[in-house]
Amino acid sequence: MHGKFITIEGTEGVGKTTNIEFIQAWLNSHQLDFIATREPGGTPLAEQIRELLLMPRDEKVCPSAELLLMFAGRAQHLDQVILPAVQSGRWVLCDRFTDATYAYQGYGRGMDNGLIAQLEQLVQADLRPDLTLILDIPVEIGLKRASQRSTPDRFEREQTEFFERVRQGYLSIATGSPERCVVIDASQPLEDVQRDITGALNDFLAQELR
Ligand code: T5A
């Protein structure tokens, strides 16, 4: 089997980091060779871009600068990490990818979807995730969880309405790409969230082995 590209998405504090560890254990239990990575970030240069993006600052960051920085980091990450792994047959598990750009910069900031699609095509050509798990949770619960864990970064300082648009964006993406997206109710207790994630991963693997 060729390497598969799995992404995990959702609004703030939805439980991606927590569940990535769980997915890694599932991949190990199936003897699948994989790497785990994240966006923004994933290489030294892209991690520096992440710092630039997340650091709270007085200067207002204009939406197109934010969008271009996201894709600059992604270009480097794809070139150095994701493509070499997939091409050598390894699975890639990525904490956020381009769906986050559609959700945050598109639905959240109001950037044009067509423009994002052009940058996606430029940077990724035909590479798209094989499976995307979208962890969905009411915005207030996610923000509360995130605030209990760390001080808010530049995105986490946004208003609730921004995250409502991001959440609706993710749900629209899931509706538009049902062949690769699975929405998981992340407001459940963790063991129920992980039962649903296991179900989605098992279904995906069974489909790939068919
Ligand atoms: N971004 C990113 C864009 O705008 N565009 C893009 O293209 C990309 C790629 C950084 C930011 O960048 C933006 C979006 C983001 O704002 P990030 O660091 O991945 O991206 O984003 P965060 O959402 O900030 O990640 P977090 O680490 O804050 O949240 P997680 O990983 O979703 O949540 P996690 O696992 O740390 O869980 C939070 C807390 O909840 C608990 C955990 O124990 C933890 O304390 N928890 C649960 N509690 C009860 N029940 C459950 N089911 C629970 N699951 C987790």
Side-chain angles (χ1 to χ4, degrees):
M1 200 192 326
H2 292 296
K4 297 294 165 191
F5 183 25
I6 300 178
T7 57
I8 182 160
E9 298 276 2
T11 49
E12 310 302 300
V14 79
K16 293 174 293 84
T17 310
T18 308
N19 288 299
I20 279 214
E21 285 174 29
F22 178 78
I23 298 171
Q24 291 187 45
W26 182 90
L27 290 164
N28 277 324
S29 73
H30 288 79
Q31 283 90 45
L32 294 165
D33 185 18
F34 71 94
I35 59 160
T37 186
R38 70 173 181 180
E39 289 213 349
T43 82
L45 172 59
E47 288 291 329
Q48 287 186 338
I49 295 173
R50 178 188 177 91
E51 288 298 314
L52 291 175
L53 281 161
L54 298 194
M55 184 194 306
R57 57 180 77 241
D58 294 334
E59 179 183 358
K60 183 181 180 317
V61 179
C62 83
S64 47
E66 185 177 278
L67 176 68
L68 291 168
L69 282 169
M70 289 293 174
F71 272 107
R74 184 161 299 137
Q76 185 70 8
H77 190 204
L78 277 166
D79 184 70
Q80 296 292 306
V81 175
I82 297 178
L83 286 174
V86 170
Q87 284 164 0
S88 70
R90 304 180 83 188
W91 288 46
V92 174
L93 173 59
C94 195
D95 185 343
R96 298 193 185 277
F97 194 62
T98 305
D99 290 320
T101 311
Y102 281 103
Y104 282 77
Q105 282 65 52
Y107 289 87
R109 301 271 191 239
M111 298 291 292
D112 178 52
N113 266 3
L115 177 62
I116 298 174
Q118 282 180 24
L119 291 168
E120 180 180 36
Q121 189 59 33
L122 173 75
V123 168
Q124 294 167 223
D126 57 0
L127 182 91
R128 299 291 182 276
D130 297 300
L131 172 67
T132 297
L133 301 174
I134 298 178
L135 303 187
D136 180 57
I137 200 175
V139 165
E140 321 81 65
I141 301 178
L143 288 175
K144 195 168 168 208
R145 284 187 192 169
S147 69
Q148 284 164 353
R149 198 218 39 221
S150 59
T151 52
D153 63 31
R154 191 173 61 83
F155 286 95
E156 287 162 354
R157 290 168 189 229
E158 288 293 338
Q159 301 296 311
T160 305
E161 300 77 59
F162 172 81
F163 296 110
E164 294 287 1
R165 293 196 297 277
V166 172
R167 182 185 184 202
Q168 291 313 315
Y170 273 128
L171 295 175
S172 299
I173 291 167
T175 304
S177 302
E179 71 294 345
R180 74 171 169 90
C181 292
V182 179
V183 178
I184 307 274
D185 176 2
S187 65
Q188 306 175 91
L190 189 56
E191 62 189 42
D192 294 340
V193 173
Q194 294 184 336
R195 178 204 58 217
D196 290 354
I197 290 176
T198 304
L201 292 170
N202 287 342
D203 288 350
F204 175 71
L205 189 58
Q207 194 182 310
E208 291 301 318
L209 292 174
R210 219 178 279 151

